[in-house]
C-alpha cells in the first residue's frame, strides 16, 4: 500500500467524522442544552409559583390583586408542557382572587355569601392548591 492511499483514507475518514459531527452531534447537543435550559427554567418558575399557591396568595399578595397572580402565572403558563396545566394555573389565581374578594365584602352587603359558603369555597381552593402543586411536580419530572 502506498502512502497516497493511506493519507487519502485518513483524510476521507476525518471528513466523514466531521460531517457526522456537524449533522448529528451538533443537533443532539443543541437539543440536550434546550432540554436542560427548560428544566432549569421550570424549576425556578414552578418553585416560586408553588410557594405562592401553597401560601394561598400570601407570599406575593396575589389574593388581593389578581393581576399579581396572573403576572406570576404567565411565565409558568409559557413553560407548561401541556394546555391543561396552563389553564389550571390561570384558573387557580382567578379562584383565589374571587374567594378573598368575597371575604372582604362588608357584613351588611346583601351580595355577601354566608360563612358556610365561604368556608366551603375556601376548602375547594385549598384542595385545588395541593392538586396544582402535584401537577407542577409531575411536570418537572416528566421527560422533556
Amino acid at each position: 500500500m502506498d502512502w497516497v492511499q493511506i493519507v487519502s483514507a485518513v483524510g476521507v475518514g476525518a471528513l466523514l467524522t466531521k460531517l457526522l459531527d456537524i449533522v448529528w452531534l451538533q443537533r443532539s447537543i443543541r437539543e440536550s442544552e434546550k432540554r436542560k435550559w427548560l428544566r432549569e427554567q421550570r424549576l425556578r418558575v414552578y418553585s416560586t409559583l408553588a410557594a405562592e399557591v401553597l401560601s394561598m396568595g400570601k407570599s406575593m399578595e396575589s389574593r388581593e390583586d389578581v393581576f399579581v397572580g396572573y403576572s406570576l402565572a404567565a411565565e409558568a403558563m409559557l413553560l407548561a408542557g401541556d394546555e391543561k396545566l396552563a389553564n389550571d394555573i390561570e384558573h387557580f389565581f382567578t379562584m383565589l382572587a374571587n374567594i378573598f374578594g368575597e371575604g372582604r365584602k362588608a357584613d351588611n352587603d346583601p351580595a355577601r355569601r354566608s360563612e358556610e359558603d365561604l368556608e366551603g369555597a375556601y376548602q375547594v381552593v385549598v384542595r385545588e392548591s395541593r392538586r396544582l402543586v402535584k401537577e407542577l411536580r409531575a411536570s418537572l419530572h416528566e421527560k422533556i
Side-chain angles (χ1 to χ4, degrees), residues 97-114:
N98 287 343
I99 187 73
F100 281 96
E102 191 69 33
R104 286 191 301 269
K105 288 183 179 177
D107 289 337
N108 60 358
D109 187 342
R112 181 180 165 97
R113 291 184 175 181
S114 69

Side-chain angles (χ1 to χ4, degrees), residues 69-82:
Y70 287 153
S71 67
L72 176 63
E75 194 172 8
M77 291 168 68
L78 289 173
L79 292 170
D82 65 278

Side-chain angles (χ1 to χ4, degrees), residues 82-93:
D82 65 278
E83 190 71 24
K84 181 185 179 316
L85 178 57
N87 290 335
D88 288 348
I89 293 168
E90 180 184 11
H91 180 70
F92 176 81
F93 284 103

Side-chain angles (χ1 to χ4, degrees), residues 1-10:
M1 198 179 249
D2 66 9
W3 289 101
V4 174
Q5 288 178 332
I6 293 173
V7 170
S8 64
V10 170

